Amino acid sequence: MNEELRRFGVEAYDRWTAMWNGDTGLAAEIMAPEFTLRYAQANTEAFDEARTPDQLAELVAGWHRYRSGIKFEAQGTAVVDLTLVDGRPSGLVARPYLATFADDQGRPVARSGTDILRITDGLISEVWSVSSGAAGRTFYR
């Protein structure tokens, strides 16, 4: 894979992370007009049901109202497996992340996970997200 495709994949993941950090306008720029989200945790049905950039932007905004001060950070090295299809990047990008926030008593909480983004025609068309194993289940409540 060439360096330009790798850079595209890393930047796509960085923009995905920025969207989750509250820049909800990015949803219209980085997401396909219709997409699939797959969150492998209990209590994530609302995420799995989102299919449009507007729905996702509203979910992210709601997430920030629910967990005020939450911050997402990409970690580790991105795995980028992209090729050009009709001149547009398509394939997979995966990277671990860390989410930090304060619980109801103000204590710091950290949850890690991995997001796998399917890129089709240069836009995110599918996401698989797994958060913190068994501890991640409390993340969505």
Side-chain angles (χ1 to χ4, degrees):
M1 175 184 32
N2 70 38
E3 190 57 36
E4 187 175 325
L5 281 172
R6 175 158 184 73
R7 187 171 33 258
F8 178 91
V10 170
E11 288 174 4
Y13 195 95
D14 288 346
R15 295 180 83 202
W16 167 256
T17 302
M19 181 192 67
W20 277 99
N21 279 324
D23 189 352
T24 57
L26 285 171
E29 296 176 23
I30 65 173
M31 303 302 296
E34 289 188 30
F35 52 80
T36 302
L37 301 179
R38 302 177 189 279
Y39 280 67
Q41 298 291 339
N43 301 314
T44 61
E45 293 78 13
F47 296 99
D48 292 341
E49 293 170 5
R51 295 286 184 260
T52 68
D54 287 343
Q55 289 172 325
L56 181 56
E58 181 52 39
L59 279 171
V60 171
W63 192 238
H64 280 267
R65 289 189 296 272
Y66 175 66
R67 293 230 186 264
S68 180
I70 193 165
K71 173 86 169 116
F72 292 86
E73 176 186 341
Q75 294 194 318
T77 301
V79 176
V80 178
D81 184 13
L82 296 173
T83 59
L84 291 177
V85 176
D86 296 326
R88 303 281 296 168
S90 294
L92 298 171
V93 178
R95 194 166 190 185
Y97 68 85
L98 178 68
T100 55
F101 58 94
D103 69 11
D104 294 340
Q105 286 75 43
R107 296 174 297 214
V109 177
R111 294 286 183 260
S112 62
T114 299
D115 285 346
I116 303 166
L117 314 177
R118 178 174 304 283
I119 308 289
T120 306
D121 293 329
L123 298 170
I124 299 170
S125 60
E126 182 179 22
V127 177
W128 286 82
S129 184
V130 181
S131 301
S132 296
R137 291 183 180 94
T138 62
F139 189 43
Y140 298 100
R141 291 191 203 138

